[in-house]
Amino acid sequence: MKIRRSAGLLATITAGALLLAACSSGGSSSSSSTTAASGGTSTGIVTAWGSEPENPLIPTNTNETGGGTILTQIFAGLVYYDAKGKTHNEVADSITSSDNTNWTIKLKSGWKFTNGEPVTAKSFVDAWNYGAVSTNAQLNSGWFQDPSYGIPIVGYDDTQAADASSQPKATTMSGLKVVDDTTFTVQLTTPLSDFPVRIGYSAFFPLPSVAFKDMKAFGESPIGNGPYKVADNGWTHNVDIKLVPNADFTGDRKARNGGLDIKFYTSQDTAYNDLLAGQLDVLQTVPSSALGTFQNDLGSNAVNIPGAVWQGFTIPQNLAHFTGAEGQLRRAALSHAIDRDTITKTIFHGTRTPATDFTSPVIPGWSDKIDGSDVLKYDPAAAKKLWAQADAMSPWSGSFTIAYNADGGHQAWVDAVTNSIKNALGIDAAGQPYPVFKDLRTDINASKKGKKTGLTGAFRSGWQGDYPGALDFLGAMWATGAGSNDGSYSNPQFDALLSKGAQEKSLDDANKDFAQAQTILFKDLPSIPLWYSNSTGGFAKTVKNVEFGWDGVPLYYAVTKS
């Protein structure tokens, strides 16, 4: 996932990203902080940790880390972000507007997809239109409509069918116009000063014409325009995906290695042991079992830097005992029942920080003094009192569960959180493990559509920043109808404050609106904030020029290997 530039807001936004990049772990070697520009080239194939994508690799239908990491290697967007969070034009030559509503985008000439087809204005417009149309059922459709986190394009509503049995009025958005091969215009329904920041997200990548002949088949063998391309028969499901350098790539992110083999692990411990044994080059996560030792194990090749990652768990809005006034009492009780300080110290060994809001400390506008945030304080007495008040409305029975994917190293903290809840409230609480991330996401997405699934209660949730702004967190996870609003939360007052902030002319004013919006979240608690994650990981002695970005994802194109 990514970040971007902005007119008006750019200076403040990138300042926050620069601050993050300046904070590095003790023990970082010179090779971990060397910039791509000084790295040279190599022929070795870099092996990296990853997870099996949830869906075929289609930009508008990928909103999870496993697939997102791959997409950014094989596609190039209008802009890209460097390790420090600074935005650079990639395929775009210029992105301009006189009113922040009507935007003109001019492309650089000479860009091609790996099948030889030119990248044109139509490549972007067709991809965005496909992503918007409701009958195509794309997970990132909301990025073309919602001003709280996406870009609200005129005509989006006409691409939405009234119900499952009908067809939309249009299959294209009237706010998108192809002027010529290298120029297109975008008309928004509302002004957005940070428009150029947002369009770096992978949902805005271009597609070649062949994609629209059979999109599902294309997703299994995607053709992009990025620094890498998928090798012939390169994707072996649940095993790995092999990428080779794109010799025709003309951008700044030119691959400086002989290729990238992203291995799909179902166990972080296995991945970490492979790293120690020299069987894996780059690992962008550390299993809970090694958090207390990895910096000693890896020495100067260990990475532990602040990251734009928020973590918590979401309680579905329709879950029994968690709606209305009773639900507010129980949600607050659960929050008070969690000993975040002890858990982050004992389970995560200082690689997490207890949350004080719904964003991240590295994001402009973050605050630890938002009204209502005292609900995050560990207070067993208050928790019991609130739970008893809820029981007076409707007696509780059964077990409170938190679903998680076992392949992500989450069991230890889920067990610690549910034990804290159990001890504070005197109720039964336990984790609900899913074998792999894909299975958990499948049930979460089905639950959002009202289908019966195996979910029995809450589920783990989190957000890794797409661009350095509070709106990216707040809008994507809790705005009404947002693609990653997995608990189906909706509050018109909250939505209105997000929209107001998105239209402000200064970031300071916008962040005041966002802070006010968070006071509503602290009252409703659609998700329970737990902690912020550091970007932790490491790399083997086999590679050099390893640099983790502000969002915790390594810049794989810059890694060299003999």
Side-chain angles (χ1 to χ4, degrees), residues 275 278-282 298 301 538-544 546:
L275 180 70
Q279 301 300 310
L280 183 69
D281 295 322
V282 183
L298 299 174
N301 287 12
F539 53 97
K541 296 177 181 179
T542 50
V543 291
K544 296 182 179 180
V546 180

Side-chain angles (χ1 to χ4, degrees), residues 31-34 281-282 303 538-539 543-548 554 558-559:
S31 61
S32 67
S33 59
T34 302
D281 295 322
V282 183
V303 176
F539 53 97
V543 291
K544 296 182 179 180
N545 302 307
V546 180
E547 187 172 14
F548 278 47
V559 179

Side-chain angles (χ1 to χ4, degrees), residues 130 132-138 141 159-161 163-168 170-171:
Y130 180 86
V133 175
S134 61
T135 49
N136 293 329
Q138 299 295 282
S141 176
T159 66
Q160 306 304 294
D163 52 55
S165 62
S166 61
Q167 294 294 314
T171 56

Side-chain angles (χ1 to χ4, degrees), residues 110 147 272 317 385:
Y272 185 70
Q317 292 297 297
K385 181 178 180 180

Side-chain angles (χ1 to χ4, degrees), residues 2-5 76-81 87-92 95 124 196-201 205 253:
K2 310 293 136 243
I3 21 174
R4 264 3 153 217
R5 144 182 87 186
L78 294 168
V79 296
Y80 77 93
Y81 311 108
T87 303
H88 303 264
N89 281 353
E90 192 159 45
V91 180
I95 305 169
F124 285 93
V197 175
R198 304 185 187 202
I199 55 174
Y201 181 55
F205 287 162
R253 297 186 297 135

